[in-house]
Amino acid sequence: MVQDPVKPVPMNSAYCEGTQWSDDSSVSMVPVPIVALLFPHTDMYVIKPEVYLQQCAPSSQLVNREVIVSRNACIPAGLTRLITLGMWQWCPAYVVWVADIVHQDVSKD
């Protein structure tokens, strides 16, 4: 989802990383059972990289950011789309984020 080009990091920096499962479920745009199988779905929850990176530090202090969303678990969970006749699909997404935190020097003369 997000990947910054690699930047040199000063000595007073820190490293932040994390992982989390997130709900990436979707619902049919046409709320008619069986017919919904043929129509596209829309996401119920939008996975935003900023939400995960904020756990590290404010975005102005982050460099070399990377957020990856793996939806591999959605494949077996796709059975929920058949069970609900196309109305809803459960999708557990695995979010991984890493970033370097650059501490800004706020010392005053």
Side-chain angles (χ1 to χ4, degrees):
M1 289 186 75
V2 171
Q3 185 170 2
D4 284 342
V6 177
K7 297 176 184 172
V9 185
M11 295 298 286
N12 66 342
S13 65
Y15 182 74
C16 175
E17 66 181 342
T19 61
Q20 182 177 332
W21 285 98
S22 181
D23 187 3
D24 195 27
S25 299
S26 61
V27 294
S28 176
M29 297 177 84
V30 177
V32 179
I34 300 176
V35 175
L37 287 167
L38 304 173
F39 285 88
H41 278 214
T42 184
D43 292 334
M44 293 174 66
Y45 309 102
V46 178
I47 296 176
K48 296 180 181 178
E50 300 84 26
V51 172
Y52 299 98
L53 290 171
Q54 283 178 350
Q55 296 178 30
C56 294
S59 62
S60 61
Q61 295 179 353
L62 298 177
V63 294
N64 302 332
R65 303 173 299 163
E66 186 174 7
V67 177
I68 300 168
V69 179
S70 173
R71 292 178 176 87
N72 291 338
C74 295
I75 296 168
L79 290 175
T80 56
R81 189 169 184 175
L82 294 174
I83 293 168
T84 62
L85 302 175
M87 300 292 291
W88 172 73
Q89 179 177 349
W90 176 57
C91 178
Y94 192 65
V95 182
V96 178
W97 66 92
V98 296
D100 290 321
I101 304 168
V102 178
H103 300 288
Q104 298 171 345
D105 189 18
V106 290
S107 61
K108 296 181 180 180
D109 294 325

